[in-house]
Amino acid sequence: MIKRLFLSGLVASLMSGPVYAQDSTQNAKSIEQGKQLFQTCASCHGTEAQGQKALGAPPLAGQLPSYLERAMAEFANGQRGQEDQHAQQMSAMSGLLQNSDQRKAIIDYLGSLSTRDIQVPNRSSDAAYRLYQANCGGCHGVKAEGNKALNSPRLAGMDASYLQRQLEHFKSGKRGASSRYGKQMQMMANTLKSADDIALVSKFISTL
Ligand code: HEC
Ligand code: HEC
C-alpha cells in the first residue's frame, strides 16, 4: 500500500516535472521578448516602467496583468486615446499593441519587474485619507495596491496630475463608456462632488 502510494507520487512528479520545466522556459522566453518590445515604451514610461511625470506617462510596473491587457486593448482598438493630448500620444503608439502575443509578452515582462513596498501613513484624522478610504479603498485597496478580483487597478505610484486627469475624464464621460469596468469607475468618479475633492484625493494617492 505504502509502496503504491510512493509509486503513484513518483509517477505524478515525473509527469508534472517536464511540463513545469517547459512552462517556465516559455515564460522566460516571453519575458525576454517583452523586454525587447518594451524598449520602445521605455522612452515615455521609464526604463523600469516607473512612469514619467513630465510626459504624463503612468507607471506600468506592478500593475495588474488583467488591467494592463484591457488598457492596451482599449488603446489598440481606439476605445481609449482621444480624451486629451496625453491620451493621443499613447494612441499614436497603438500600432505596437495590435498583436495579442506581443501584448502578453510585454505584460509578462512588466510582471517580472520589482516594485517598492507601499507605505500608508497613519492619517485617519486627515480629510484626504478618509475620503480615499471611504470612497476608493474598498476597490483599489487600502494601500491603493489594486484588487484583481474587483478588476481595480493599482494606483500607488501614479502622479497626481495623471490621476486627476483620469478622474475628470471618467466624470465627463470621455473615458469609461466602452466597458462595464469603465462604467463602474464613472459612477465612482461621480461620488467626488467638487474639483477640490478630485485634487485632494489625487494628491493623497500620489503620496503612496
Ligand atoms: C510617446 C510616449 C509614449 C510611448 C512611447 C508609450 N506610451 Fe503608453 N502612455 C503614454 C501616456 C502619455 C499615457 C497616458 C495616457 C492618458 O493620459 O490617457 C500612456 C498610457 C499607457 C497605458 C495605460 C496605463 C493605465 O494606467 O491606464 C498603457 C497600458 C501603456 N501606456 C502601455 C504602453 C506600452 C506597452 C508602450 C510600448 C509599446 C507604450 N505605452 C508606449 C505615453 C507613451
Ligand atoms: C466599485 C469599485 C471602485 C471604486 C469604489 C473606485 N474605483 Fe477606481 N476603478 C475601478 C475600476 C474597475 C477601474 C478600471 C476602469 C477601466 O478599466 O476602465 C478603475 C479605474 C480607476 C482609475 C484609472 C487608473 C488608470 O490607471 O488609468 C483611477 C485614477 C481611479 N479608478 C481612481 C479612483 C478613485 C480616486 C476612487 C475613489 C473616489 C475610485 N477609483 C473608486 C473601480 C473602482
Side-chain angles (χ1 to χ4, degrees):
M1 180 64 184
I2 293 179
K3 206 170 177 185
R4 197 183 283 163
L5 269 180
F6 171 74
L7 271 180
S8 63
L10 186 69
V11 169
S13 70
L14 280 175
M15 283 170 72
S16 63
V19 172
Y20 174 75
Q22 198 182 16
D23 273 3
S24 65
T25 320
Q26 263 174 2
N27 197 36
K29 253 178 144 175
S30 180
I31 290 174
E32 188 50 39
Q33 192 200 354
K35 187 177 178 179
Q36 300 303 324
L37 291 167
F38 192 75
Q39 284 176 2
T40 325
C41 325
S43 55
C44 292
H45 289 280
T47 48
E48 307 290 316
Q50 75 278 24
Q52 247 189 117
K53 183 178 170 175
L55 299 177
L60 304 175
Q63 188 51 279
L64 299 182
S66 55
Y67 175 77
L68 285 172
E69 168 54 26
R70 185 163 69 247
M72 288 191 205
E74 287 184 351
F75 277 110
N77 65 27
Q79 286 170 333
R80 256 182 95 177
Q82 294 311 314
E83 300 89 303
D84 61 17
Q85 67 174 87
H86 294 287
Q88 276 163 3
Q89 253 160 26
M90 182 56 218
S91 178
M93 298 296 129
S94 60
L96 301 166
L97 302 175
Q98 299 296 335
N99 180 315
S100 62
D101 288 342
Q102 293 188 350
R103 292 204 299 260
K104 185 184 175 300
I106 294 175
I107 292 167
D108 286 344
Y109 168 64
L110 292 170
S112 76
L113 299 174
S114 54
T115 49
R116 62 177 174 77
D117 289 343
I118 310 169
Q119 306 292 336
V120 185
N122 184 5
R123 289 217 224 115
S124 37
S125 58
D126 217 48
Y129 177 96
R130 277 187 277 121
L131 184 63
Y132 174 80
Q133 299 301 356
N135 294 0
C136 325
C139 288
H140 290 282
V142 174
K143 299 175 168 188
E145 73 276 24
N147 183 323
K148 187 178 166 197
L150 298 176
N151 296 291
S152 306
R154 175 187 175 110
L155 305 175
M158 287 181 184
D159 179 60
S161 59
Y162 175 79
L163 292 162
Q164 193 160 340
R165 278 193 291 114
Q166 301 311 314
L167 288 169
E168 281 160 3
H169 294 328
F170 280 120
K171 225 173 136 92
S172 69
K174 278 189 187 167
R175 182 179 165 187
S178 55
S179 79
R180 66 191 168 100
Y181 308 107
K183 285 191 189 120
Q184 204 176 28
M185 189 50 221
Q186 283 183 339
M187 286 191 323
M188 295 307 139
N190 280 321
T191 66
L192 298 170
K193 294 297 175 209
S194 67
D196 282 354
D197 278 356
I198 291 184
L200 194 68
V201 84
S202 301
K203 195 157 173 249
F204 170 74
I205 298 168
S206 74
T207 65
L208 298 176

